[in-house]
């Protein structure tokens, strides 16, 4: 079983530390599966088979090169331990559906839900023209798109509440369609018939940023929890 490896934390990202600082190549093998965001939160990253797709509002989906420096990424090598056919799965009942097969409360899981989605809502940020915007400015200016009858895969993780400042607590999904043309952070979904796959991950390795600007970052931990829920959930 491979571990989850990540650069930085959702907490640091939401506290405003989103400059590109670590190359993708340090984290993404040719089997990498996961998600992240690009420098200055210019795009949502969805990672499958080592390919890093950047979804940015107003731009065609494209792949980032291995040298690209990013502020946050969370990846693993996904070897499903269970693959289950599920019906009528939605963002609202996904936890309940997962809980039929494994109790997720205190564990990390890599998770994928694949199939044809009758309804899917994705979010993409706009590219930063300079480095001066705040997380709130990025969040309020994002583009939200609704899709119907789209085939593809939700790629992401389940994080226990206990670790909710390291990674988004509960599910965090990004989407990639079968043609690799549509992607983004998942806000809503529903699929009549889908395959839910997951793998328990007992080890998580976090590479903390080491830059001077990170060391100087002031983090209001109480405000942070509220922000993670408001922006990432
Ligand atoms: Zn996301």
């Amino acid at each position: 079983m491979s571990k989850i490896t990540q650069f930085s934390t959702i907490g640091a990202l939401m506290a405003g530390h989103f400059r590109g600082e670590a190359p993708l190549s340090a984290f993404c093998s040719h089997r990498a599966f996961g998600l992240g965001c690009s420098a200055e939160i210019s795009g949502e990253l969805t990672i499958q088979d080592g390919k890093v797709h950047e979804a940015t509002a107003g731009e065609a989906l494209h792949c980032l090169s291995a040298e690209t420096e990013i502020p946050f990424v969370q990846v693993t090598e996904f070897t499903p331990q269970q693959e289950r056919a599920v019906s009528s799965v939605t963002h609202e009942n996904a936890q309940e559906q997962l809980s039929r097969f494994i109790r997720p409360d205190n564990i990390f899981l890599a998770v994928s839900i694949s199939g044809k989605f009758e309804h899917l809502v994705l979010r993409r940020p706009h590219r930063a023209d300079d480095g001066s915007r705040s997380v709130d400015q990025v969040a309020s200016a994002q583009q939200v798109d609704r899709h119907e009858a789209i085939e593809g895969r939700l790629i992401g993780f389940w994080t226990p509440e206990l670790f909710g400042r390291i990674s988004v607590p509960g599910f965090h999904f990004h989407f990639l369609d079968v043609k690799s043309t549509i992607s983004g952070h998942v806000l809503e979904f529903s699929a009549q018939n889908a395959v839910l796959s997951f793998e328990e991950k007992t080890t998580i390795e976090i590479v903390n940023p080491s830059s001077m600007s990170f060391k100087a970052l002031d983090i209001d931990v109480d405000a942070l929890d509220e922000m993670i829920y408001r922006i990432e959930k």
Side-chain angles (χ1 to χ4, degrees), residues 107-142:
I107 60 173
F108 284 94
L109 298 164
V111 187
S112 143
I113 300 177
S114 57
K116 187 172 172 187
F117 293 83
E118 278 77 35
H119 170 75
L120 181 72
V121 181
L122 299 179
R123 195 184 67 188
R124 292 176 295 164
H126 291 272
R127 186 165 298 283
D129 26 34
D130 59 42
S132 63
R133 58 186 189 172
S134 68
V135 172
D136 270 316
Q137 284 168 327
V138 177
S140 59
Q142 297 196 84

mmCIF file of all heavy atoms in Angstrom, residues 107-142:
data_model
loop_
_atom_site.group_PDB
_atom_site.id
_atom_site.type_symbol
_atom_site.label_atom_id
_atom_site.label_comp_id
_atom_site.label_asym_id
_atom_site.label_seq_id
_atom_site.Cartn_x
_atom_site.Cartn_y
_atom_site.Cartn_z
ATOM 1 N N ILE A 107 -10.036 7.285 9.382
ATOM 2 C CA ILE A 107 -8.988 6.845 8.451
ATOM 3 C C ILE A 107 -8.939 7.712 7.196
ATOM 4 O O ILE A 107 -9.907 8.408 6.868
ATOM 5 C CB ILE A 107 -9.191 5.363 8.034
ATOM 6 C CG1 ILE A 107 -10.550 5.179 7.331
ATOM 7 C CG2 ILE A 107 -9.075 4.446 9.247
ATOM 8 C CD1 ILE A 107 -10.757 3.782 6.749
ATOM 9 N N PHE A 108 -7.789 7.659 6.531
ATOM 10 C CA PHE A 108 -7.641 8.301 5.216
ATOM 11 C C PHE A 108 -7.968 7.278 4.134
ATOM 12 O O PHE A 108 -7.602 6.101 4.242
ATOM 13 C CB PHE A 108 -6.185 8.735 4.983
ATOM 14 C CG PHE A 108 -5.768 9.958 5.729
ATOM 15 C CD1 PHE A 108 -5.137 9.858 6.970
ATOM 16 C CD2 PHE A 108 -5.978 11.226 5.185
ATOM 17 C CE1 PHE A 108 -4.731 11.003 7.647
ATOM 18 C CE2 PHE A 108 -5.570 12.365 5.861
ATOM 19 C CZ PHE A 108 -4.948 12.257 7.092
ATOM 20 N N LEU A 109 -8.629 7.751 3.078
ATOM 21 C CA LEU A 109 -8.890 6.894 1.925
ATOM 22 C C LEU A 109 -8.577 7.658 0.650
ATOM 23 O O LEU A 109 -8.863 8.859 0.558
ATOM 24 C CB LEU A 109 -10.375 6.496 1.860
ATOM 25 C CG LEU A 109 -10.968 5.675 3.007
ATOM 26 C CD1 LEU A 109 -12.492 5.731 2.952
ATOM 27 C CD2 LEU A 109 -10.506 4.220 2.903
ATOM 28 N N ALA A 110 -8.007 6.951 -0.315
ATOM 29 C CA ALA A 110 -8.002 7.462 -1.691
ATOM 30 C C ALA A 110 -9.307 6.942 -2.290
ATOM 31 O O ALA A 110 -9.662 5.781 -2.064
ATOM 32 C CB ALA A 110 -6.812 6.919 -2.455
ATOM 33 N N VAL A 111 -10.032 7.803 -2.997
ATOM 34 C CA VAL A 111 -11.375 7.432 -3.470
ATOM 35 C C VAL A 111 -11.564 7.850 -4.919
ATOM 36 O O VAL A 111 -11.108 8.926 -5.334
ATOM 37 C CB VAL A 111 -12.479 8.127 -2.625
ATOM 38 C CG1 VAL A 111 -13.860 7.587 -3.009
ATOM 39 C CG2 VAL A 111 -12.261 7.955 -1.139
ATOM 40 N N SER A 112 -12.248 6.996 -5.671
ATOM 41 C CA SER A 112 -12.642 7.364 -7.024
ATOM 42 C C SER A 112 -14.094 6.933 -7.234
ATOM 43 O O SER A 112 -14.512 5.889 -6.738
ATOM 44 C CB SER A 112 -11.685 6.679 -8.004
ATOM 45 O OG SER A 112 -12.349 6.268 -9.161
ATOM 46 N N ILE A 113 -14.859 7.761 -7.909
ATOM 47 C CA ILE A 113 -16.218 7.381 -8.322
ATOM 48 C C ILE A 113 -16.272 7.608 -9.826
ATOM 49 O O ILE A 113 -16.057 8.732 -10.297
ATOM 50 C CB ILE A 113 -17.300 8.210 -7.608
ATOM 51 C CG1 ILE A 113 -17.215 8.031 -6.080
ATOM 52 C CG2 ILE A 113 -18.697 7.819 -8.120
ATOM 53 C CD1 ILE A 113 -18.212 8.876 -5.276
ATOM 54 N N SER A 114 -16.488 6.528 -10.578
ATOM 55 C CA SER A 114 -16.486 6.693 -12.033
ATOM 56 C C SER A 114 -17.799 6.237 -12.632
ATOM 57 O O SER A 114 -18.480 5.363 -12.095
ATOM 58 C CB SER A 114 -15.314 5.947 -12.655
ATOM 59 O OG SER A 114 -15.377 4.602 -12.308
ATOM 60 N N GLY A 115 -18.165 6.858 -13.736
ATOM 61 C CA GLY A 115 -19.405 6.521 -14.412
ATOM 62 C C GLY A 115 -19.900 7.697 -15.217
ATOM 63 O O GLY A 115 -19.152 8.635 -15.514
ATOM 64 N N LYS A 116 -21.192 7.624 -15.553
ATOM 65 C CA LYS A 116 -21.812 8.726 -16.277
ATOM 66 C C LYS A 116 -22.599 9.550 -15.264
ATOM 67 O O LYS A 116 -23.493 9.022 -14.595
ATOM 68 C CB LYS A 116 -22.733 8.159 -17.366
ATOM 69 C CG LYS A 116 -23.298 9.212 -18.276
ATOM 70 C CD LYS A 116 -24.016 8.530 -19.421
ATOM 71 C CE LYS A 116 -24.771 9.524 -20.254
ATOM 72 N NZ LYS A 116 -25.603 8.835 -21.253
ATOM 73 N N PHE A 117 -22.230 10.818 -15.169
ATOM 74 C CA PHE A 117 -22.862 11.688 -14.175
ATOM 75 C C PHE A 117 -24.008 12.458 -14.832
ATOM 76 O O PHE A 117 -23.793 13.198 -15.794
ATOM 77 C CB PHE A 117 -21.826 12.638 -13.566
ATOM 78 C CG PHE A 117 -20.801 11.900 -12.750
ATOM 79 C CD1 PHE A 117 -19.698 11.305 -13.358
ATOM 80 C CD2 PHE A 117 -20.956 11.746 -11.378
ATOM 81 C CE1 PHE A 117 -18.769 10.577 -12.617
ATOM 82 C CE2 PHE A 117 -20.044 11.023 -10.627
ATOM 83 C CZ PHE A 117 -18.935 10.441 -11.251
ATOM 84 N N GLU A 118 -25.197 12.269 -14.295
ATOM 85 C CA GLU A 118 -26.358 12.991 -14.835
ATOM 86 C C GLU A 118 -26.229 14.474 -14.526
ATOM 87 O O GLU A 118 -26.692 15.327 -15.270
ATOM 88 C CB GLU A 118 -27.662 12.472 -14.208
ATOM 89 C CG GLU A 118 -28.194 11.212 -14.865
ATOM 90 C CD GLU A 118 -27.428 9.963 -14.455
ATOM 91 O OE1 GLU A 118 -26.991 9.897 -13.286
ATOM 92 O OE2 GLU A 118 -27.240 9.067 -15.303
ATOM 93 N N HIS A 119 -25.593 14.752 -13.394
ATOM 94 C CA HIS A 119 -25.496 16.134 -12.930
ATOM 95 C C HIS A 119 -24.117 16.310 -12.274
ATOM 96 O O HIS A 119 -23.716 15.472 -11.466
ATOM 97 C CB HIS A 119 -26.620 16.361 -11.909
ATOM 98 C CG HIS A 119 -26.538 17.645 -11.167
ATOM 99 N ND1 HIS A 119 -26.861 18.844 -11.738
ATOM 100 C CD2 HIS A 119 -26.176 17.926 -9.892
ATOM 101 C CE1 HIS A 119 -26.699 19.805 -10.847
ATOM 102 N NE2 HIS A 119 -26.286 19.279 -9.720
ATOM 103 N N LEU A 120 -23.446 17.365 -12.668
ATOM 104 C CA LEU A 120 -22.108 17.605 -12.117
ATOM 105 C C LEU A 120 -21.855 19.112 -12.097
ATOM 106 O O LEU A 120 -22.087 19.796 -13.093
ATOM 107 C CB LEU A 120 -21.069 16.915 -13.012
ATOM 108 C CG LEU A 120 -19.611 17.030 -12.601
ATOM 109 C CD1 LEU A 120 -19.324 16.177 -11.366
ATOM 110 C CD2 LEU A 120 -18.691 16.567 -13.732
ATOM 111 N N VAL A 121 -21.439 19.622 -10.949
ATOM 112 C CA VAL A 121 -21.126 21.048 -10.844
ATOM 113 C C VAL A 121 -19.647 21.184 -10.499
ATOM 114 O O VAL A 121 -19.175 20.629 -9.502
ATOM 115 C CB VAL A 121 -22.001 21.754 -9.782
ATOM 116 C CG1 VAL A 121 -21.666 23.238 -9.704
ATOM 117 C CG2 VAL A 121 -23.484 21.566 -10.086
ATOM 118 N N LEU A 122 -18.925 21.905 -11.355
ATOM 119 C CA LEU A 122 -17.474 22.058 -11.196
ATOM 120 C C LEU A 122 -17.110 23.514 -11.013
ATOM 121 O O LEU A 122 -17.763 24.410 -11.558
ATOM 122 C CB LEU A 122 -16.749 21.534 -12.448
ATOM 123 C CG LEU A 122 -16.937 20.064 -12.797
ATOM 124 C CD1 LEU A 122 -16.161 19.741 -14.070
ATOM 125 C CD2 LEU A 122 -16.479 19.163 -11.664
ATOM 126 N N ARG A 123 -16.026 23.723 -10.304
ATOM 127 C CA ARG A 123 -15.554 25.081 -10.046
ATOM 128 C C ARG A 123 -14.111 25.223 -10.515
ATOM 129 O O ARG A 123 -13.295 24.325 -10.298
ATOM 130 C CB ARG A 123 -15.642 25.310 -8.535
ATOM 131 C CG ARG A 123 -15.528 26.737 -8.116
ATOM 132 C CD ARG A 123 -15.524 26.814 -6.611
ATOM 133 N NE ARG A 123 -14.310 26.201 -6.086
ATOM 134 C CZ ARG A 123 -14.075 25.980 -4.796
ATOM 135 N NH1 ARG A 123 -14.968 26.277 -3.896
ATOM 136 N NH2 ARG A 123 -12.937 25.456 -4.410
ATOM 137 N N ARG A 124 -13.844 26.345 -11.178
ATOM 138 C CA ARG A 124 -12.479 26.635 -11.634
ATOM 139 C C ARG A 124 -12.143 28.087 -11.309
ATOM 140 O O ARG A 124 -12.954 28.977 -11.549
ATOM 141 C CB ARG A 124 -12.367 26.466 -13.157
ATOM 142 C CG ARG A 124 -12.492 25.051 -13.656
ATOM 143 C CD ARG A 124 -12.458 24.989 -15.167
ATOM 144 N NE ARG A 124 -13.593 25.651 -15.787
ATOM 145 C CZ ARG A 124 -13.647 26.000 -17.062
ATOM 146 N NH1 ARG A 124 -12.622 25.799 -17.865
ATOM 147 N NH2 ARG A 124 -14.722 26.594 -17.546
ATOM 148 N N PRO A 125 -10.936 28.349 -10.847
ATOM 149 C CA PRO A 125 -10.535 29.739 -10.597
ATOM 150 C C PRO A 125 -10.089 30.414 -11.895
ATOM 151 O O PRO A 125 -9.797 29.740 -12.886
ATOM 152 C CB PRO A 125 -9.356 29.595 -9.644
ATOM 153 C CG PRO A 125 -8.764 28.274 -9.977
ATOM 154 C CD PRO A 125 -9.880 27.393 -10.459
ATOM 155 N N HIS A 126 -10.042 31.719 -11.879
ATOM 156 C CA HIS A 126 -9.465 32.471 -12.988
ATOM 157 C C HIS A 126 -7.958 32.579 -12.760
ATOM 158 O O HIS A 126 -7.507 32.559 -11.623
ATOM 159 C CB HIS A 126 -10.083 33.871 -13.059
ATOM 160 C CG HIS A 126 -11.525 33.830 -13.468
ATOM 161 N ND1 HIS A 126 -11.907 33.852 -14.787
ATOM 162 C CD2 HIS A 126 -12.659 33.725 -12.744
ATOM 163 C CE1 HIS A 126 -13.226 33.777 -14.857
ATOM 164 N NE2 HIS A 126 -13.713 33.701 -13.630
ATOM 165 N N ARG A 127 -7.207 32.691 -13.845
ATOM 166 C CA ARG A 127 -5.768 32.840 -13.722
ATOM 167 C C ARG A 127 -5.426 34.186 -13.090
ATOM 168 O O ARG A 127 -6.045 35.198 -13.427
ATOM 169 C CB ARG A 127 -5.103 32.719 -15.105
ATOM 170 C CG ARG A 127 -3.588 32.712 -15.054
ATOM 171 C CD ARG A 127 -2.981 32.245 -16.346
ATOM 172 N NE ARG A 127 -3.352 30.870 -16.688
ATOM 173 C CZ ARG A 127 -2.822 29.778 -16.117
ATOM 174 N NH1 ARG A 127 -1.877 29.899 -15.205
ATOM 175 N NH2 ARG A 127 -3.220 28.569 -16.477
ATOM 176 N N ALA A 128 -4.478 34.163 -12.166
ATOM 177 C CA ALA A 128 -4.069 35.404 -11.503
ATOM 178 C C ALA A 128 -3.268 36.257 -12.481
ATOM 179 O O ALA A 128 -2.387 35.737 -13.168
ATOM 180 C CB ALA A 128 -3.207 35.071 -10.292
ATOM 181 N N ASP A 129 -3.573 37.548 -12.589
ATOM 182 C CA ASP A 129 -2.729 38.379 -13.457
ATOM 183 C C ASP A 129 -1.540 38.927 -12.688
ATOM 184 O O ASP A 129 -0.510 39.231 -13.247
ATOM 185 C CB ASP A 129 -3.510 39.481 -14.191
ATOM 186 C CG ASP A 129 -4.767 39.895 -13.453
ATOM 187 O OD1 ASP A 129 -4.733 39.866 -12.220
ATOM 188 O OD2 ASP A 129 -5.756 40.247 -14.139
ATOM 189 N N ASP A 130 -1.677 39.040 -11.376
ATOM 190 C CA ASP A 130 -0.485 39.308 -10.554
ATOM 191 C C ASP A 130 -0.647 38.514 -9.258
ATOM 192 O O ASP A 130 -1.643 37.832 -9.062
ATOM 193 C CB ASP A 130 -0.299 40.811 -10.293
ATOM 194 C CG ASP A 130 -1.494 41.404 -9.581
ATOM 195 O OD1 ASP A 130 -2.011 40.757 -8.655
ATOM 196 O OD2 ASP A 130 -1.918 42.515 -9.949
ATOM 197 N N GLY A 131 0.314 38.584 -8.391
ATOM 198 C CA GLY A 131 0.293 37.738 -7.198
ATOM 199 C C GLY A 131 -0.355 38.370 -5.986
ATOM 200 O O GLY A 131 -0.105 37.945 -4.873
ATOM 201 N N SER A 132 -1.205 39.373 -6.202
ATOM 202 C CA SER A 132 -1.630 40.152 -5.047
ATOM 203 C C SER A 132 -3.030 39.817 -4.516
ATOM 204 O O SER A 132 -3.500 40.455 -3.598
ATOM 205 C CB SER A 132 -1.582 41.637 -5.402
ATOM 206 O OG SER A 132 -2.492 41.883 -6.451
ATOM 207 N N ARG A 133 -3.713 38.839 -5.097
ATOM 208 C CA ARG A 133 -5.077 38.607 -4.619
ATOM 209 C C ARG A 133 -5.110 37.707 -3.375
ATOM 210 O O ARG A 133 -4.209 36.891 -3.158
ATOM 211 C CB ARG A 133 -5.952 38.044 -5.740
ATOM 212 C CG ARG A 133 -5.438 36.753 -6.343
ATOM 213 C CD ARG A 133 -6.278 36.341 -7.540
ATOM 214 N NE ARG A 133 -5.911 34.996 -7.978
ATOM 215 C CZ ARG A 133 -6.569 34.307 -8.893
ATOM 216 N NH1 ARG A 133 -7.624 34.842 -9.490
ATOM 217 N NH2 ARG A 133 -6.182 33.099 -9.234
ATOM 218 N N SER A 134 -6.171 37.864 -2.600
ATOM 219 C CA SER A 134 -6.319 37.067 -1.380
ATOM 220 C C SER A 134 -7.112 35.805 -1.694
ATOM 221 O O SER A 134 -7.724 35.686 -2.756
ATOM 222 C CB SER A 134 -7.082 37.873 -0.323
ATOM 223 O OG SER A 134 -8.424 38.040 -0.752
ATOM 224 N N VAL A 135 -7.130 34.874 -0.762
ATOM 225 C CA VAL A 135 -7.900 33.640 -0.945
ATOM 226 C C VAL A 135 -9.372 33.984 -1.163
ATOM 227 O O VAL A 135 -10.041 33.402 -2.010
ATOM 228 C CB VAL A 135 -7.736 32.703 0.281
ATOM 229 C CG1 VAL A 135 -8.687 31.516 0.185
ATOM 230 C CG2 VAL A 135 -6.303 32.213 0.379
ATOM 231 N N ASP A 136 -9.884 34.946 -0.402
ATOM 232 C CA ASP A 136 -11.288 35.340 -0.550
ATOM 233 C C ASP A 136 -11.573 35.915 -1.926
ATOM 234 O O ASP A 136 -12.619 35.653 -2.508
ATOM 235 C CB ASP A 136 -11.691 36.349 0.533
ATOM 236 C CG ASP A 136 -12.230 35.627 1.762
ATOM 237 O OD1 ASP A 136 -13.027 34.688 1.577
ATOM 238 O OD2 ASP A 136 -11.855 35.996 2.888
ATOM 239 N N GLN A 137 -10.638 36.716 -2.435
ATOM 240 C CA GLN A 137 -10.814 37.266 -3.790
ATOM 241 C C GLN A 137 -10.817 36.151 -4.835
ATOM 242 O O GLN A 137 -11.620 36.171 -5.755
ATOM 243 C CB GLN A 137 -9.707 38.290 -4.098
ATOM 244 C CG GLN A 137 -9.939 39.624 -3.400
ATOM 245 C CD GLN A 137 -8.704 40.522 -3.472
ATOM 246 O OE1 GLN A 137 -7.564 40.044 -3.460
ATOM 247 N NE2 GLN A 137 -8.919 41.823 -3.522
ATOM 248 N N VAL A 138 -9.920 35.182 -4.674
ATOM 249 C CA VAL A 138 -9.888 34.047 -5.605
ATOM 250 C C VAL A 138 -11.216 33.304 -5.525
ATOM 251 O O VAL A 138 -11.865 33.033 -6.534
ATOM 252 C CB VAL A 138 -8.749 33.050 -5.254
ATOM 253 C CG1 VAL A 138 -8.795 31.845 -6.189
ATOM 254 C CG2 VAL A 138 -7.391 33.722 -5.324
ATOM 255 N N ALA A 139 -11.639 33.028 -4.295
ATOM 256 C CA ALA A 139 -12.836 32.203 -4.091
ATOM 257 C C ALA A 139 -14.082 32.865 -4.661
ATOM 258 O O ALA A 139 -14.917 32.208 -5.281
ATOM 259 C CB ALA A 139 -13.013 31.916 -2.606
ATOM 260 N N SER A 140 -14.202 34.165 -4.470
ATOM 261 C CA SER A 140 -15.447 34.820 -4.886
ATOM 262 C C SER A 140 -15.510 35.019 -6.396
ATOM 263 O O SER A 140 -16.576 35.257 -6.949
ATOM 264 C CB SER A 140 -15.609 36.151 -4.149
ATOM 265 O OG SER A 140 -14.510 36.977 -4.440
ATOM 266 N N ALA A 141 -14.378 34.909 -7.077
ATOM 267 C CA ALA A 141 -14.370 35.152 -8.528
ATOM 268 C C ALA A 141 -14.317 33.863 -9.343
ATOM 269 O O ALA A 141 -14.033 33.882 -10.521
ATOM 270 C CB ALA A 141 -13.188 36.036 -8.885
ATOM 271 N N GLN A 142 -14.576 32.722 -8.721
ATOM 272 C CA GLN A 142 -14.429 31.463 -9.461
ATOM 273 C C GLN A 142 -15.594 31.214 -10.406
ATOM 274 O O GLN A 142 -16.699 31.705 -10.201
ATOM 275 C CB GLN A 142 -14.295 30.312 -8.473
ATOM 276 C CG GLN A 142 -13.043 30.474 -7.648
ATOM 277 C CD GLN A 142 -12.655 29.223 -6.947
ATOM 278 O OE1 GLN A 142 -12.001 28.365 -7.513
ATOM 279 N NE2 GLN A 142 -13.061 29.100 -5.715
#
